[in-house]
Amino acid sequence: MSKLNKYMMVHNTPGVDCNEVQGNWRKLANVDAGNWIRTYYNEDKGVRYCLWMAESEEVLKDIFTEIGISWESIIEVEETVPDMWGEKWEEHLIKESSADTLGN
């Protein structure tokens, strides 16, 4: 089995219909070449940020081209962990605890 890399896909589709997005999810659920992790969405701007695991950027391009879903960009990403932040981590936790949009 090949190594999977993590990618951030940006979809910029203002005015996209919720039913269309849900229909695309059903199609993507049957894909074996890539694994969806999570999506962040700004409904007002119609922008979705989706994390995927795949062997390569080309694999993701093939998946989304075949299904007919457009994207603005695909970039390989790595996740940061608190140890990488050093002293800034405590400052981050304080700011995050008072943010209006706390994550789950």
Side-chain angles (χ1 to χ4, degrees), residues 4-7 33-37 51-55 60 63:
L4 296 180
N5 302 302
K6 190 178 286 185
Y7 294 91
N35 299 313
W36 170 81
I37 299 171
L51 287 174
W52 280 84
M53 298 293 291
E55 288 182 23
L60 287 174
I63 291 168

Side-chain angles (χ1 to χ4, degrees), residues 31-62:
V31 169
D32 293 325
N35 299 313
W36 170 81
I37 299 171
R38 182 171 303 221
T39 295
Y40 299 91
Y41 180 52
N42 181 305
E43 186 174 5
D44 291 339
K45 295 186 185 270
V47 178
R48 295 183 313 282
Y49 302 90
C50 304
L51 287 174
W52 280 84
M53 298 293 291
E55 288 182 23
S56 69
E57 180 179 332
E58 292 305 315
V59 167
L60 287 174
K61 286 180 179 180
D62 290 346

Side-chain angles (χ1 to χ4, degrees), residues 70-86:
S70 65
W71 66 89
E72 187 172 290
S73 63
I74 302 172
I75 185 169
E76 188 173 350
V77 295
E78 293 182 27
E79 191 170 346
T80 62
V81 293
D83 291 351
M84 295 174 71
W85 287 52

